[in-house]
Amino acid sequence: RAPPRASATAAEEWLTLSPTGRIRGEAEPPGSKTLPNRVLLLAALSEGVTTVENLLDSDDIRYMLGALEALGVPVECDVAARRCVITGRGGPLDAPGLGAGEAAELFLGNAGTAMRPLAAVLGAGRGSFVLDGTPRMRERPIGDLVDGMRQLGIDATCSDTACPPVRLESAGLKAGGVAR
């Protein structure tokens, strides 16, 4: 097929590629990072041991695993086997035993798939938490979530730009409603 005629406003270049033969092989596309992070979080909240198979090796998942470990959740991973074993806490995730006035500081890189669900879940726990990340994460809005948490009685704040870091002072979650 002939390339379209060049317009007066833009010059276009064309490269024609001819088939060279057949390509054969196998590929396993990378898995989602969103779903495994949610599964890891649910495993941490559950009672008992959960084994997660075919776990994608990504920054987002590594940050979630690091945060869970910092919160005292037992995590054993075999990266080569793409498997993690999480021993659940059987309820809300509380801040680890820190000194008075100290917060559990959780660095989540640029992992929005870890930042948002983890912040929401920590609102149901007890203690002081600070969730932060890279300079790019500090440009990603989270104000709507923080507002919703406040409506549920959680002392939650974020930056003046409605982005991380997120600071939580939580005494557990009480029943209530949230309006947008």
Side-chain angles (χ1 to χ4, degrees):
R1 171 181 110 173
R5 296 186 338 181
S7 69
T9 59
E12 295 180 20
E13 293 183 29
W14 287 85
L15 173 64
T16 303
L17 300 175
S18 299
T20 59
R22 238 184 171 152
I23 297 175
R24 294 177 194 244
E26 292 182 19
E28 185 174 323
S32 165
K33 57 187 179 183
T34 303
L35 293 175
N37 264 346
R38 291 177 181 166
V39 168
L40 293 170
L41 196 50
L42 290 172
L45 294 167
S46 68
E47 190 173 300
V49 176
T50 302
T51 301
V52 182
E53 303 276 353
N54 296 319
L55 192 61
L56 176 69
D57 182 21
S58 75
D59 285 344
D60 285 38
I61 290 171
R62 279 188 246 117
Y63 283 122
M64 176 65 86
L65 289 167
L68 294 176
E69 288 180 309
L71 293 166
V73 176
V75 173
E76 292 180 34
C77 290
D78 181 345
V79 177
R82 299 176 52 190
R83 168 193 294 184
C84 279
V85 178
I86 291 49
T87 303
R89 299 276 296 271
L93 301 177
D94 297 332
L98 302 170
E102 290 186 70
E105 296 188 17
L106 306 171
F107 183 80
L108 299 168
N110 193 31
T113 65
M115 175 71 72
R116 288 169 181 79
L118 187 57
V121 163
L122 292 178
R126 295 184 183 279
S128 299
F129 308 91
V130 176
L131 291 81
D132 203 357
T134 63
R136 175 65 184 112
M137 177 61 85
R138 288 181 169 205
E139 297 173 351
R140 298 177 68 181
I142 197 164
D144 287 346
L145 175 61
V146 170
D147 288 343
M149 294 171 76
R150 281 191 209 125
Q151 291 178 44
L152 291 172
I154 300 162
D155 182 3
T157 60
C158 59
S159 74
D160 292 340
T161 60
C163 298
V166 176
R167 289 174 170 71
L168 304 173
E169 293 289 335
S170 186
L173 192 59
K174 297 170 182 66
V178 176
R180 183 173 168 137

